[in-house]
Amino acid sequence: MRLVAHPVLCNYYLTYRCNASCSFCDIWERPSPYVTLDNARQNLRDLKKLGVRVVDFTGGEPLLHRQLPELLQEAKRLGLITTVTTNGLLYPKQAERLRGLVDMLHFSLDSPIAEEHDASRGVKCFDKVMESIAIARSLGERPDILFTVFEHNVSKIRQMHEEICLPNDLILILNPVFEYNAVETGDRFSEDALAQMSWWGKQKNVYLNDAFIQLRRDGGNHIEDPICRAASTTIVLSPENKLVLPCYHLGLKDFAVDDNLYALYRSEAVQKLVALEGRLPACEGCAINCYMQPSFAVEVNKYFWRALPSTLKYNWVKGTWKQLL
């Protein structure tokens, strides 16, 4: 049973540029412009009109965009929930300008050990994350720690929780590394790793959407009976001001927005692609969290019920449940 028929989330890529070179990401390798403020203002109004509730200003590294505070202000003026994930390198210098504008501020941290984290990110940024935590806390912000979990760092969850998150009263978000085209890449978690993550997701100040774990046990999305609702729940906008379908990672086709995202999204050409969500050959085995999270929220099925407790827990702690009502 479908609960929501309209898109609820926008992944707004402000730029693909990044000041890190993470080993598990290739976005930073792409040439890229920056989103313009005029285009973004019109798009944000259209997103609101389409029913979107949450805008994730992403990248690349979103803090590279010098007008990020203005973009956030416009989103907040429209009543949208804002989220930003950063590697922390630029946050100390920009913290004052961002204060109060980000509902869900995430600092990426993949190990409680500086050398390990810096090696995975390709730059020395562990100390900047620690500095960013201190500055954010001094400004009355409550950032989350976004921990990308691999098979090799599951054992570091306890140390991250006990040494960094609990002392700073921060939520530890466990983000299992994306799996897509898994048949080709062989990227799979062991049952032991999945069980450990599931256990940690029930602990204090830890968030894990347990439906992510169930989906991986089920082998990801299956094109004959897809769970993915990426194209109908999530609008992906590129730095070139294009609508990307059916999702960023598959990116089969993009459409120039031309100042009317509302009409474009509702057009026949776009809706034909939306109807193929989760059913394309490349969708087999996919388990990309940022698209599965909204997919789980709009249809009542076993993933909806697995996701519900952790979703309620996080939004209650963050206070964003009031904005979602």
Side-chain angles (χ1 to χ4, degrees), residues 11-35:
N11 288 337
Y12 209 140
Y13 286 84
L14 303 184
T15 182
Y16 296 138
R17 300 184 188 190
C18 192
N19 48 5
S21 52
C22 302
S23 59
F24 53 88
C25 174
D26 61 2
I27 294 176
W28 56 272
E29 298 176 351
R30 301 181 60 173
S32 174
Y34 290 92
V35 164

mmCIF file of all heavy atoms in Angstrom, residues 11-35:
data_model
loop_
_atom_site.group_PDB
_atom_site.id
_atom_site.type_symbol
_atom_site.label_atom_id
_atom_site.label_comp_id
_atom_site.label_asym_id
_atom_site.label_seq_id
_atom_site.Cartn_x
_atom_site.Cartn_y
_atom_site.Cartn_z
ATOM 1 N N ASN A 11 18.005 15.206 -3.442
ATOM 2 C CA ASN A 11 19.463 15.171 -3.338
ATOM 3 C C ASN A 11 19.993 16.240 -4.285
ATOM 4 O O ASN A 11 20.018 16.039 -5.509
ATOM 5 C CB ASN A 11 20.013 13.792 -3.717
ATOM 6 C CG ASN A 11 19.708 12.750 -2.666
ATOM 7 O OD1 ASN A 11 19.478 13.066 -1.511
ATOM 8 N ND2 ASN A 11 19.686 11.498 -3.070
ATOM 9 N N TYR A 12 20.367 17.381 -3.721
ATOM 10 C CA TYR A 12 20.770 18.537 -4.516
ATOM 11 C C TYR A 12 22.295 18.595 -4.548
ATOM 12 O O TYR A 12 22.927 19.012 -3.580
ATOM 13 C CB TYR A 12 20.192 19.818 -3.905
ATOM 14 C CG TYR A 12 19.937 20.931 -4.903
ATOM 15 C CD1 TYR A 12 18.804 21.724 -4.813
ATOM 16 C CD2 TYR A 12 20.830 21.177 -5.945
ATOM 17 C CE1 TYR A 12 18.545 22.728 -5.732
ATOM 18 C CE2 TYR A 12 20.586 22.181 -6.865
ATOM 19 C CZ TYR A 12 19.448 22.959 -6.756
ATOM 20 O OH TYR A 12 19.213 23.952 -7.670
ATOM 21 N N TYR A 13 22.878 18.186 -5.662
ATOM 22 C CA TYR A 13 24.340 18.185 -5.813
ATOM 23 C C TYR A 13 24.802 19.613 -6.140
ATOM 24 O O TYR A 13 24.629 20.080 -7.264
ATOM 25 C CB TYR A 13 24.764 17.208 -6.906
ATOM 26 C CG TYR A 13 24.660 15.767 -6.488
ATOM 27 C CD1 TYR A 13 23.459 15.075 -6.586
ATOM 28 C CD2 TYR A 13 25.762 15.094 -5.969
ATOM 29 C CE1 TYR A 13 23.354 13.744 -6.185
ATOM 30 C CE2 TYR A 13 25.674 13.762 -5.566
ATOM 31 C CZ TYR A 13 24.479 13.099 -5.680
ATOM 32 O OH TYR A 13 24.382 11.778 -5.281
ATOM 33 N N LEU A 14 25.375 20.289 -5.150
ATOM 34 C CA LEU A 14 25.812 21.671 -5.343
ATOM 35 C C LEU A 14 27.050 21.749 -6.229
ATOM 36 O O LEU A 14 27.253 22.719 -6.947
ATOM 37 C CB LEU A 14 26.107 22.320 -3.985
ATOM 38 C CG LEU A 14 24.946 22.318 -2.992
ATOM 39 C CD1 LEU A 14 25.341 23.072 -1.728
ATOM 40 C CD2 LEU A 14 23.686 22.927 -3.615
ATOM 41 N N THR A 15 27.891 20.745 -6.147
ATOM 42 C CA THR A 15 29.063 20.584 -6.999
ATOM 43 C C THR A 15 29.556 19.157 -6.824
ATOM 44 O O THR A 15 29.321 18.539 -5.785
ATOM 45 C CB THR A 15 30.186 21.582 -6.639
ATOM 46 O OG1 THR A 15 31.295 21.399 -7.537
ATOM 47 C CG2 THR A 15 30.667 21.389 -5.201
ATOM 48 N N TYR A 16 30.225 18.641 -7.837
ATOM 49 C CA TYR A 16 30.859 17.338 -7.692
ATOM 50 C C TYR A 16 32.288 17.480 -7.165
ATOM 51 O O TYR A 16 32.937 16.480 -6.854
ATOM 52 C CB TYR A 16 30.890 16.598 -9.035
ATOM 53 C CG TYR A 16 29.519 16.260 -9.582
ATOM 54 C CD1 TYR A 16 29.236 16.421 -10.937
ATOM 55 C CD2 TYR A 16 28.510 15.767 -8.755
ATOM 56 C CE1 TYR A 16 27.984 16.104 -11.453
ATOM 57 C CE2 TYR A 16 27.264 15.454 -9.253
ATOM 58 C CZ TYR A 16 27.003 15.631 -10.606
ATOM 59 O OH TYR A 16 25.767 15.313 -11.104
ATOM 60 N N ARG A 17 32.786 18.706 -7.079
ATOM 61 C CA ARG A 17 34.147 18.924 -6.608
ATOM 62 C C ARG A 17 34.268 18.564 -5.126
ATOM 63 O O ARG A 17 33.311 18.715 -4.359
ATOM 64 C CB ARG A 17 34.556 20.385 -6.810
ATOM 65 C CG ARG A 17 34.512 20.833 -8.260
ATOM 66 C CD ARG A 17 35.021 22.249 -8.420
ATOM 67 N NE ARG A 17 34.791 22.730 -9.779
ATOM 68 C CZ ARG A 17 35.290 23.847 -10.265
ATOM 69 N NH1 ARG A 17 36.039 24.626 -9.484
ATOM 70 N NH2 ARG A 17 35.039 24.213 -11.507
ATOM 71 N N CYS A 18 35.440 18.117 -4.752
ATOM 72 C CA CYS A 18 35.662 17.751 -3.352
ATOM 73 C C CYS A 18 37.118 18.001 -2.996
ATOM 74 O O CYS A 18 38.008 17.919 -3.847
ATOM 75 C CB CYS A 18 35.308 16.282 -3.124
ATOM 76 S SG CYS A 18 35.224 15.833 -1.369
ATOM 77 N N ASN A 19 37.343 18.343 -1.722
ATOM 78 C CA ASN A 19 38.715 18.557 -1.235
ATOM 79 C C ASN A 19 39.263 17.311 -0.558
ATOM 80 O O ASN A 19 40.279 17.370 0.126
ATOM 81 C CB ASN A 19 38.775 19.764 -0.294
ATOM 82 C CG ASN A 19 37.688 19.731 0.771
ATOM 83 O OD1 ASN A 19 36.928 18.763 0.878
ATOM 84 N ND2 ASN A 19 37.602 20.790 1.558
ATOM 85 N N ALA A 20 38.575 16.178 -0.736
ATOM 86 C CA ALA A 20 39.088 14.874 -0.308
ATOM 87 C C ALA A 20 39.037 13.940 -1.511
ATOM 88 O O ALA A 20 38.447 14.269 -2.548
ATOM 89 C CB ALA A 20 38.270 14.312 0.848
ATOM 90 N N SER A 21 39.643 12.789 -1.373
ATOM 91 C CA SER A 21 39.643 11.802 -2.463
ATOM 92 C C SER A 21 39.408 10.419 -1.867
ATOM 93 O O SER A 21 40.299 9.578 -1.849
ATOM 94 C CB SER A 21 40.959 11.853 -3.242
ATOM 95 O OG SER A 21 42.074 11.743 -2.370
ATOM 96 N N CYS A 22 38.199 10.219 -1.373
ATOM 97 C CA CYS A 22 37.857 8.980 -0.676
ATOM 98 C C CYS A 22 38.012 7.772 -1.595
ATOM 99 O O CYS A 22 37.629 7.810 -2.770
ATOM 100 C CB CYS A 22 36.431 9.048 -0.155
ATOM 101 S SG CYS A 22 36.143 10.435 0.963
ATOM 102 N N SER A 23 38.534 6.709 -1.035
ATOM 103 C CA SER A 23 38.815 5.508 -1.819
ATOM 104 C C SER A 23 37.551 4.806 -2.287
ATOM 105 O O SER A 23 37.576 4.064 -3.271
ATOM 106 C CB SER A 23 39.671 4.545 -0.992
ATOM 107 O OG SER A 23 38.984 4.190 0.206
ATOM 108 N N PHE A 24 36.428 5.035 -1.602
ATOM 109 C CA PHE A 24 35.189 4.333 -1.921
ATOM 110 C C PHE A 24 34.214 5.215 -2.704
ATOM 111 O O PHE A 24 33.043 4.863 -2.866
ATOM 112 C CB PHE A 24 34.514 3.833 -0.642
ATOM 113 C CG PHE A 24 34.311 4.901 0.400
ATOM 114 C CD1 PHE A 24 33.172 5.684 0.420
ATOM 115 C CD2 PHE A 24 35.284 5.134 1.359
ATOM 116 C CE1 PHE A 24 32.993 6.669 1.369
ATOM 117 C CE2 PHE A 24 35.111 6.115 2.325
ATOM 118 C CZ PHE A 24 33.970 6.885 2.324
ATOM 119 N N CYS A 25 34.668 6.361 -3.190
ATOM 120 C CA CYS A 25 33.808 7.310 -3.889
ATOM 121 C C CYS A 25 34.525 7.813 -5.137
ATOM 122 O O CYS A 25 35.741 8.039 -5.115
ATOM 123 C CB CYS A 25 33.464 8.478 -2.962
ATOM 124 S SG CYS A 25 32.540 9.825 -3.738
ATOM 125 N N ASP A 26 33.762 8.023 -6.217
ATOM 126 C CA ASP A 26 34.374 8.550 -7.432
ATOM 127 C C ASP A 26 33.775 9.885 -7.861
ATOM 128 O O ASP A 26 34.116 10.415 -8.918
ATOM 129 C CB ASP A 26 34.257 7.546 -8.579
ATOM 130 C CG ASP A 26 32.812 7.214 -8.934
ATOM 131 O OD1 ASP A 26 31.895 7.789 -8.306
ATOM 132 O OD2 ASP A 26 32.595 6.385 -9.829
ATOM 133 N N ILE A 27 32.884 10.438 -7.040
ATOM 134 C CA ILE A 27 32.254 11.709 -7.408
ATOM 135 C C ILE A 27 33.302 12.802 -7.589
ATOM 136 O O ILE A 27 33.230 13.608 -8.516
ATOM 137 C CB ILE A 27 31.217 12.126 -6.341
ATOM 138 C CG1 ILE A 27 30.044 11.142 -6.319
ATOM 139 C CG2 ILE A 27 30.713 13.541 -6.601
ATOM 140 C CD1 ILE A 27 29.022 11.413 -5.245
ATOM 141 N N TRP A 28 34.302 12.833 -6.697
ATOM 142 C CA TRP A 28 35.318 13.884 -6.722
ATOM 143 C C TRP A 28 36.143 13.866 -8.002
ATOM 144 O O TRP A 28 36.823 14.852 -8.315
ATOM 145 C CB TRP A 28 36.244 13.740 -5.522
ATOM 146 C CG TRP A 28 36.917 12.388 -5.408
ATOM 147 C CD1 TRP A 28 36.416 11.282 -4.782
ATOM 148 C CD2 TRP A 28 38.180 12.004 -5.942
ATOM 149 N NE1 TRP A 28 37.283 10.231 -4.885
ATOM 150 C CE2 TRP A 28 38.387 10.634 -5.584
ATOM 151 C CE3 TRP A 28 39.172 12.669 -6.669
ATOM 152 C CZ2 TRP A 28 39.541 9.940 -5.952
ATOM 153 C CZ3 TRP A 28 40.324 11.961 -7.028
ATOM 154 C CH2 TRP A 28 40.501 10.623 -6.667
ATOM 155 N N GLU A 29 36.087 12.787 -8.768
ATOM 156 C CA GLU A 29 36.857 12.693 -10.009
ATOM 157 C C GLU A 29 36.185 13.418 -11.173
ATOM 158 O O GLU A 29 36.807 13.637 -12.211
ATOM 159 C CB GLU A 29 37.059 11.223 -10.385
ATOM 160 C CG GLU A 29 37.859 10.428 -9.362
ATOM 161 C CD GLU A 29 37.965 8.960 -9.728
ATOM 162 O OE1 GLU A 29 37.267 8.545 -10.682
ATOM 163 O OE2 GLU A 29 38.730 8.241 -9.080
ATOM 164 N N ARG A 30 34.914 13.801 -11.005
ATOM 165 C CA ARG A 30 34.164 14.393 -12.106
ATOM 166 C C ARG A 30 34.391 15.900 -12.184
ATOM 167 O O ARG A 30 34.383 16.590 -11.162
ATOM 168 C CB ARG A 30 32.661 14.135 -11.926
ATOM 169 C CG ARG A 30 32.284 12.675 -11.864
ATOM 170 C CD ARG A 30 30.790 12.491 -11.706
ATOM 171 N NE ARG A 30 30.053 13.070 -12.818
ATOM 172 C CZ ARG A 30 28.728 12.924 -12.970
ATOM 173 N NH1 ARG A 30 28.035 12.221 -12.086
ATOM 174 N NH2 ARG A 30 28.110 13.468 -13.990
ATOM 175 N N PRO A 31 34.576 16.465 -13.391
ATOM 176 C CA PRO A 31 34.618 17.922 -13.529
ATOM 177 C C PRO A 31 33.246 18.490 -13.194
ATOM 178 O O PRO A 31 32.222 17.836 -13.428
ATOM 179 C CB PRO A 31 34.964 18.126 -15.008
ATOM 180 C CG PRO A 31 34.508 16.881 -15.681
ATOM 181 C CD PRO A 31 34.717 15.775 -14.686
ATOM 182 N N SER A 32 33.214 19.702 -12.664
ATOM 183 C CA SER A 32 31.924 20.184 -12.185
ATOM 184 C C SER A 32 31.892 21.693 -12.030
ATOM 185 O O SER A 32 32.843 22.298 -11.534
ATOM 186 C CB SER A 32 31.604 19.535 -10.830
ATOM 187 O OG SER A 32 30.422 20.081 -10.282
ATOM 188 N N PRO A 33 30.753 22.314 -12.395
ATOM 189 C CA PRO A 33 30.499 23.700 -12.021
ATOM 190 C C PRO A 33 29.889 23.755 -10.624
ATOM 191 O O PRO A 33 29.859 22.739 -9.908
ATOM 192 C CB PRO A 33 29.486 24.148 -13.076
ATOM 193 C CG PRO A 33 28.688 22.902 -13.331
ATOM 194 C CD PRO A 33 29.677 21.752 -13.211
ATOM 195 N N TYR A 34 29.380 24.921 -10.251
ATOM 196 C CA TYR A 34 28.653 25.092 -9.000
ATOM 197 C C TYR A 34 27.213 25.510 -9.314
ATOM 198 O O TYR A 34 26.966 26.240 -10.273
ATOM 199 C CB TYR A 34 29.303 26.166 -8.128
ATOM 200 C CG TYR A 34 30.641 25.770 -7.557
ATOM 201 C CD1 TYR A 34 31.820 26.069 -8.225
ATOM 202 C CD2 TYR A 34 30.722 25.092 -6.336
ATOM 203 C CE1 TYR A 34 33.054 25.702 -7.703
ATOM 204 C CE2 TYR A 34 31.955 24.727 -5.806
ATOM 205 C CZ TYR A 34 33.116 25.034 -6.496
ATOM 206 O OH TYR A 34 34.330 24.669 -5.983
ATOM 207 N N VAL A 35 26.286 25.061 -8.509
ATOM 208 C CA VAL A 35 24.899 25.486 -8.625
ATOM 209 C C VAL A 35 24.826 27.005 -8.479
ATOM 210 O O VAL A 35 25.503 27.592 -7.641
ATOM 211 C CB VAL A 35 24.057 24.804 -7.521
ATOM 212 C CG1 VAL A 35 22.711 25.486 -7.351
ATOM 213 C CG2 VAL A 35 23.885 23.324 -7.816
#
